[in-house]
Amino acid sequence: MSNPALLIDQQAFRENALRLHEVLQGQGKFCHFDCSAFARQIPLLEMLASCGLNRLASSRLQDFELLRPYAQDSLFLRSPMPSEVSQVVDLCDLSCNTEWEVICALSDAALVRQKIHRVLVQLDLGDLTSGLQLEAASQMIAKLVNLRGVRLAGLKTTFNGYGGILPDAAKFNELATFAQFIEKRYGLALEFVSGLNSSCLSLLDEGIIPPALRHFVIGEALLTGRESAYGGSFAGLYQNIFCFQAEVIEAQRRPSLPQGPRGDCSAGRVIPYEDRGLIQRVNLAFGYQDLDASKLEAKLRGVRYLGQTQDQSFYDVTGLNKCLRPGDSLEFIPDYTASLEALMSPFVAKLFV
């Protein structure tokens, strides 16, 4: 078996996707699945398609060539670069937008292709990830509705992004009220009033999400079975779709504290060394070029993360009730960030189980 490797449980992935779809449908909601992490893993795309789950999204334009055979409705999750508007119109059904010049360019590109491109106007309700203030959005929409190559499909905002601002009833109602204002002013029925994500799933049963807010973009909950605000797990979802496996290349008893004058460690990373005397330490054959080892949870008790360099990661296994030698492997459950890094790394083998 190739190491390091990411073992992917296809059946658990399928069950998570179906469970999320079922829960949202039962609440009168629907979603696009964010494929940014796994668009290059064709078996997972095929799995979604076999379940009839074909609303797919990504924040990487390059992904949409791969998503095209499996997506009935494809959503580009960030504002397009001006240099890529033609490709966005060619590859994506919808895109999120904040800039008037870009929307005009999308309209022109769509007219050349004799098609209509649907846009979501991105709003900023305090998280500061991306988007327009409501007054600026209102002014832009007044012009947007007169463009012939694009159609206002809806509104979108971001929660728990750059600013970590959590969703609550006040934010939900602010978005719903603005959507109702736009619909009434222009005689529209918005297809999407969006902003719900994995951090909002735990609020479904609390009755604070207005009926107008129907659209989710789901990534983290699909892949990890957890919500993105506090890391809590959801009943009925698998938290172990991914298992990261790495091989021991060195196993030695050595001091826990580096000896001698100290400068910056590898890549300027500051490691809070703790003097634990002599420890049994193993070096694993992966480093931060592959993924952030601090985002991994060891499956065995007694494995304690110490640090990593570009090509190696270090663990204290003094408390492990077995002796590890070179050639042995350790397994870890990655969080969402580490899963994404492993999926994207060309140095990590992807093995479907």
Side-chain angles (χ1 to χ4, degrees):
M1 180 181 292
S2 299
N3 277 319
L6 188 70
L7 282 61
I8 305 171
D9 187 332
Q10 296 181 84
Q11 188 61 30
F13 175 86
R14 179 180 184 275
E15 293 299 322
N16 276 10
L18 286 173
R19 175 62 177 158
L20 286 163
H21 174 71
E22 174 188 335
V23 168
L24 294 181
Q25 192 173 50
Q27 296 269 0
K29 315 293 185 186
F30 67 102
C31 79
H32 278 75
F33 283 117
D34 182 359
C35 305
S36 301
F38 61 89
R40 286 161 176 75
Q41 308 308 316
I42 301 303
L44 299 185
L45 299 180
E46 292 175 341
M47 187 70 73
L48 290 177
S50 71
C51 298
L53 304 176
N54 47 28
R55 291 191 181 100
L56 306 181
S58 179
S59 56
R60 301 289 181 182
L61 185 58
Q62 297 90 332
D63 289 345
F64 288 93
E65 287 281 8
L66 298 169
L67 297 180
R68 179 183 285 185
Y70 309 100
Q72 180 178 323
D73 203 41
S74 55
L75 169 59
F76 190 33
L77 288 172
R78 65 161 172 78
S79 295
M81 294 185 286
S83 60
E84 63 188 5
V85 292
S86 295
Q87 292 172 282
V88 171
V89 171
D90 286 335
L91 296 173
C92 309
D93 298 304
L94 302 108
S95 61
C96 300
N97 286 270
T98 63
E99 297 296 330
W100 173 244
E101 293 83 357
V102 173
I103 293 174
C104 289
L106 288 168
S107 178
D108 291 342
L111 288 173
V112 168
R113 291 157 175 78
Q114 298 184 318
K115 64 192 300 186
I116 302 294
H117 182 72
R118 293 142 68 212
V119 301
L120 304 181
V121 172
Q122 182 80 21
L123 308 175
D124 176 25
L125 298 184
D127 187 78
L128 300 182
T129 298
S130 176
L132 299 165
Q133 302 294 307
L134 297 187
E135 180 59 33
S138 181
Q139 293 173 5
M140 191 171 76
I141 289 170
K143 298 184 291 182
L144 188 161
V145 294
N146 295 314
L147 292 176
R148 294 187 298 120
V150 296
R151 175 166 65 85
L152 178 64
L155 308 171
K156 187 178 183 303
T157 193
T158 299
F159 295 116
N160 198 36
Y162 168 78
I165 298 301
L166 298 176
D168 58 20
K171 296 290 186 185
F172 290 149
N173 288 330
E174 187 176 15
L175 177 57
T177 299
F178 185 71
Q180 291 164 1
F181 163 73
I182 293 298
E183 288 184 325
K184 183 176 180 179
R185 181 171 182 177
Y186 298 105
L188 300 172
L190 294 175
E191 186 180 356
F192 298 89
V193 182
S194 181
L196 306 174
N197 56 29
S198 295
S199 68
C200 306
L201 286 169
S202 60
L203 305 177
L204 280 171
D205 294 327
E206 294 188 14
I208 66 172
I209 302 178
L213 275 63
R214 298 180 56 233
H215 181 246
F216 277 75
V217 176
I218 301 291
E220 185 162 348
L222 171 63
L223 298 182
T224 69
R226 299 182 181 277
E227 53 86 17
S228 53
Y230 301 104
S233 59
F234 291 109
L237 295 185
Y238 289 92
Q239 283 84 53
N240 57 349
I241 286 177
F242 300 114
C243 175
F244 180 75
Q245 180 174 277
E247 190 169 327
V248 175
I249 56 173
E250 181 179 318
Q252 299 286 336
R253 190 144 179 93
R254 57 176 59 222
S256 56
L257 196 66
Q259 308 297 308
R262 186 182 305 168
D264 285 343
C265 56
S266 179
R269 298 182 174 215
V270 177
I271 298 176
Y273 297 108
E274 179 183 352
D275 189 357
R276 298 168 63 90
L278 287 175
I279 60 172
Q280 185 66 30
R281 198 188 80 171
V282 296
N283 297 13
L284 301 183
F286 76 97
Y288 57 74
Q289 186 174 355
D290 305 296
L291 57 81
D292 183 352
S294 69
K295 304 296 185 180
L296 300 172
E297 179 184 352
K299 294 181 73 172
L300 292 178
R301 290 185 178 182
V303 176
R304 181 172 177 268
Y305 171 64
L306 296 173
Q308 65 183 158
T309 60
Q310 176 182 339
D311 57 1
Q312 296 183 67
S313 298
F314 312 108
Y315 289 84
D316 178 354
V317 293
T318 308
L320 192 63
N321 60 1
K322 61 183 294 187
C323 179
L324 293 177
R325 301 304 306 156
D328 292 335
S329 293
L330 283 176
E331 293 185 341
F332 305 84
I333 300 300
D335 72 2
Y336 181 63
T337 300
S339 298
L340 187 151
E341 291 172 340
L343 284 163
M344 298 297 291
S345 173
F347 307 109
V348 177
K350 285 70 172 177
L351 305 176
F352 293 90
V353 298

